[in-house]
Amino acid sequence: MTDETVDTEETPKKASKLPLIIGLVLALAGGGGGFFAVYSGMILGSDSAPAAEEESVEMDKPEALPDITYVGLDPFVVSLTSGGSADYLRFRAQLEVPSAHQEEVERVLPRVVDVLNGYLRALSPSDIESPDALVKLRSQMLRRVQIVTGQERVSDLLVMEFVLN
């Protein structure tokens, strides 16, 4: 009877760890291959890697500057609207203009100054005092200048002086 008991009570075999090890190795290989494919641009990439190599070869040549000129605006002082105290803003700027349109922009400079003067006069000192005010005001002024001169005639407005007294 003791022989029968031993036969029926076999100890369960431990599961083999070989499938786990193979799965882990395949996962690492797949992850590494996927990383390489994305990093090299084979998958989800563009042809930026060859372009980067071409740029490094061409870095010896300086890039030609665009054909632009600057049209200066005469400095002007604007009184700001406030609740009693007189605050003044001294403003001076230059317009970045393609050279082909310089004469056209110079012809409408009085209108540009009028638009900027009207816009700046409507501001209050609190509109100017915030840290990011100059960025917002510059974009608003550029947009108004481009409406007067035409979108393609003025590419940027450079603020040279912006002082609140």
Side-chain angles (χ1 to χ4, degrees):
M1 228 184 189
T2 54
D3 288 334
E4 286 181 19
T5 328
V6 173
D7 289 338
T8 57
E9 292 184 14
E10 290 184 28
T11 58
K13 292 184 179 180
K14 286 188 174 180
S16 175
K17 292 186 180 179
L18 185 63
L20 179 63
I21 293 172
I22 291 174
L24 183 62
V25 169
L26 289 175
L28 288 174
F35 172 77
F36 175 75
V38 171
Y39 185 75
S40 67
M42 295 169 135
I43 299 175
L44 300 177
S46 62
D47 294 333
S48 61
E53 291 175 9
E54 290 174 9
E55 286 178 14
S56 65
V57 171
E58 294 178 4
M59 286 190 130
D60 296 335
K61 300 179 195 174
E63 185 177 318
L65 293 174
D67 188 22
I68 57 170
T69 58
Y70 294 96
V71 176
L73 300 176
D74 292 331
F76 55 91
V77 178
V78 178
S79 63
L80 301 176
T81 59
S82 60
S85 65
D87 289 317
Y88 296 97
L89 173 69
R90 181 169 169 81
F91 179 78
R92 184 170 62 98
Q94 292 198 7
L95 304 175
E96 186 176 290
V97 179
S99 295
H101 299 293
Q102 179 180 1
E103 290 180 23
E104 297 168 349
V105 171
E106 287 175 346
R107 274 186 284 181
V108 294
L109 269 183
R111 184 168 297 280
V112 169
V113 171
D114 178 58
V115 167
L116 292 177
N117 198 358
Y119 174 70
L120 291 172
R121 203 170 286 277
L123 297 174
S124 67
S126 62
D127 295 333
I128 295 173
E129 292 171 349
S130 69
D132 62 341
L134 189 58
V135 174
K136 291 178 184 176
L137 295 173
R138 185 173 165 266
S139 65
Q140 289 290 326
M141 289 186 285
L142 176 61
R143 180 67 189 128
R144 284 169 170 73
V145 169
Q146 286 176 336
I147 289 172
V148 171
T149 62
Q151 185 77 22
E152 69 281 350
R153 288 188 178 94
V154 175
S155 56
D156 204 359
L157 179 126
L158 296 110
V159 177
M160 307 308 286
E161 187 175 354
F162 195 83
V163 179
L164 182 63
N165 290 330

